[in-house]
Amino acid sequence: MTHVSERNSAGSNGAEGGDRRPWTAGGGRGVRKRTATYADAGVSIEAGDRAVELLKSKVKKTTRPEVMGDLGGFSGLFRLNTAKYKSPILASSTDGVGTKLVIAQQLDIHDTIGIDLVAMVVDDLVACGAEPLFLLDYIACGEVVPDKVAEIGAGIADGCRYAGCALLGGETAEHPGVLRPDEYDVSATGVGVVEESEILGRERVEVGDAVIAMRSSGLHSNGYSLVRHVLLGAGRMRLDSVVDDFGSQRTLGEELLTPTKIYAKDCLGLIEETDVRAFSHVTGGGIPGNLNRVLPGNADAVVDRSTWRPQPIFDLIQAKGRIEDNEMEATFNMGVGMFAIVSSDDADRAMAYLTGRGVEAWQVGEVIDGTGEVQMMGQYTRG
């Protein structure tokens, strides 16, 4: 997760004319000193260095043969194997985790949020057929607590290992006066590579292709502002509440912090085994808002809801918030984290391959003549 670098400080909260008072070092204590230090301003270089040290062993486990040098440089170095490609195209993606971070901070559990971060980046990369090569992360926090930063970083490192990419470097920034001591935010940028002739997307999709769904691990990392509003706000539920429908004495907090599924290696393997036309990573915008991004203007995708049952968390959110069906589908993945559009001849083989890798997959529909829209048909399986 972050690995090197200077931590930035702010002299005030930047608000003008608001209710918040300007931040001052030392919490407003009127103690005059002849000299000032960075620590007086709320920034601890030593704490940041300690966090980096705690992370080094985790980061080393994400290395690839192309990685050059070690942590501590001004740049991360990665030797691109151009001999492997005729015309290599670099793909990039950047993302964060959103307000799922609030749940992690409320529960003081920080070792899974990094997996969510990596998933949001690498599964966007693989959607065009790119192999994720490396990731750079950024953590901004009100106060660097080495053990907490190390937990966040450990999750990022785990996610990189699951995706097969290197954690090449990053930044930890301490922002006293901008963020509370217990607050933090994370983001990451990933880079991948794909042969130009093998880029996936709508240009490859044909009428008659099969649409394969891959089961999500739950909410993933989208819609948490609505989740918090209906469950923890209006619904007045507690994060430590046990919800029977979740099974095994599982609490609401545990369900909400379930890490996002990382599909990168599964998708890359599927490309090798079958004729994949396109992938659609289901994030903000739900199924209709993401699947239509890989459809040509002369084709629609039919999605049959009756082919699967969404996880109980979706039923709970909809019931507590009295949310309309179309709002649910525009916000959440409804149990599908990734779609693969494959040649109809390869549909059975694709599902068998994914199942063999432990990914629950099924044919959810097909591509038909149309105008680039997603046709949601039928009703979800319940009970």
Side-chain angles (χ1 to χ4, degrees):
M1 90 83 309
T2 95
H3 316 185
V4 238
S5 312
E6 190 167 307
R7 286 92 189 153
N8 300 318
S9 173
S12 72
N13 62 15
E16 295 183 4
D19 295 332
R20 295 178 63 186
R21 297 179 180 178
W23 176 85
T24 57
R29 296 187 299 273
V31 179
R32 294 178 63 94
K33 300 176 67 174
R34 288 183 179 273
T35 62
T37 67
Y38 214 1
D40 292 332
V43 178
S44 171
I45 293 176
E46 291 77 12
D49 291 342
R50 172 62 178 156
V52 172
E53 286 299 318
L54 291 173
L55 276 171
K56 280 188 174 179
S57 62
K58 276 280 189 178
V59 176
K60 286 181 179 178
K61 293 179 180 179
T62 74
T63 194
R64 292 172 51 119
E66 304 96 328
V67 175
M68 301 173 63
D70 201 354
L71 294 179
F74 287 100
S75 300
L77 302 177
F78 190 96
R79 180 186 288 109
L80 181 62
N81 182 8
T82 55
K84 184 178 177 181
Y85 305 91
K86 294 180 179 178
S87 180
I89 300 298
L90 295 179
S92 63
S93 176
T94 189
D95 212 334
V97 176
T99 60
K100 186 172 185 175
L101 287 172
V102 176
I103 307 298
Q105 291 164 15
Q106 289 177 334
L107 291 173
D108 196 25
I109 297 174
H110 313 286
D111 60 350
T112 61
I113 210 74
I115 299 174
D116 295 293
L117 179 62
V118 176
M120 299 302 286
V121 173
V122 299
D123 286 340
D124 274 356
L125 286 176
V126 80
C128 72
E131 175 189 359
L133 296 176
F134 60 83
L135 183 133
L136 302 167
D137 65 7
Y138 179 85
I139 297 178
C141 52
E143 178 183 352
V144 171
V145 178
D147 288 342
K148 180 188 292 187
V149 171
E151 286 183 43
I152 300 169
I156 298 174
D158 285 342
C160 287
R161 286 194 297 105
Y162 302 154
C165 66
L167 184 50
L168 199 57
E171 167 79 356
T172 302
E174 196 164 23
H175 290 172
V178 178
L179 297 170
R180 293 195 309 266
D182 61 331
E183 287 183 324
Y184 63 86
D185 198 4
V186 297
S187 65
T189 296
V191 173
V193 63
V194 59
E195 185 70 65
E196 184 173 10
S197 62
E198 298 175 5
I199 295 174
L200 304 180
R202 62 182 58 173
E203 296 80 8
R204 290 176 175 262
V205 175
E206 300 178 359
V207 171
D209 286 344
V211 181
I212 307 297
M214 301 181 213
R215 173 74 71 175
S216 70
S217 55
L219 290 170
H220 284 187
S221 299
N222 298 103
Y224 273 76
S225 293
L226 180 56
V227 170
R228 290 165 46 238
H229 173 68
V230 300
L231 297 185
L232 306 181
R236 298 184 178 181
M237 294 186 69
R238 293 168 51 96
L239 291 173
D240 59 0
S241 300
V242 174
V243 180
D244 291 338
D245 287 345
F246 296 163
S248 302
Q249 296 295 303
R250 189 170 173 83
T251 66
L252 177 62
E254 289 172 329
E255 178 66 28
L256 295 183
L257 280 189
T258 300
T260 303
K261 169 70 175 173
I262 294 177
Y263 300 95
K265 286 186 176 180
D266 305 312
C267 291
L268 292 173
L270 190 64
I271 292 171
E272 295 294 324
E273 294 291 327
T274 66
D275 184 7
V276 177
R277 309 296 175 86
F279 290 116
S280 174
H281 184 201
V282 184
T283 55
I287 292 173
N290 286 283
L291 188 53
N292 67 359
R293 296 165 67 180
V294 296
L295 294 175
N298 66 340
D300 285 359
V302 175
V303 174
D304 185 355
R305 300 183 185 94
S306 69
T307 59
W308 84 95
R309 179 186 178 187
Q311 292 92 331
I313 184 63
F314 298 106
D315 291 334
L316 178 65
I317 293 167
Q318 185 165 21
K320 285 285 187 180
R322 300 178 181 178
I323 302 172
E324 298 289 339
D325 290 345
N326 60 352
E327 182 68 18
M328 289 291 295
E329 290 184 339
T331 306
F332 303 109
N333 64 59
M334 301 305 293
V336 178
M338 181 76 78
F339 285 102
I341 298 180
V342 305
S343 164
S344 59
D345 292 338
D346 278 353
D348 289 341
R349 187 176 181 181
M351 290 183 287
Y353 174 80
L354 291 169
T355 300
R357 289 188 57 88
V359 179
E360 184 179 350
W362 64 97
Q363 182 167 347
V364 74
E366 62 179 340
V367 177
I368 64 172
D369 288 317
T371 57
E373 301 296 323
V374 177
Q375 299 183 24
M376 303 292 292
M377 312 289 286
Q379 300 297 323
Y380 295 113
T381 302
R382 306 286 184 182

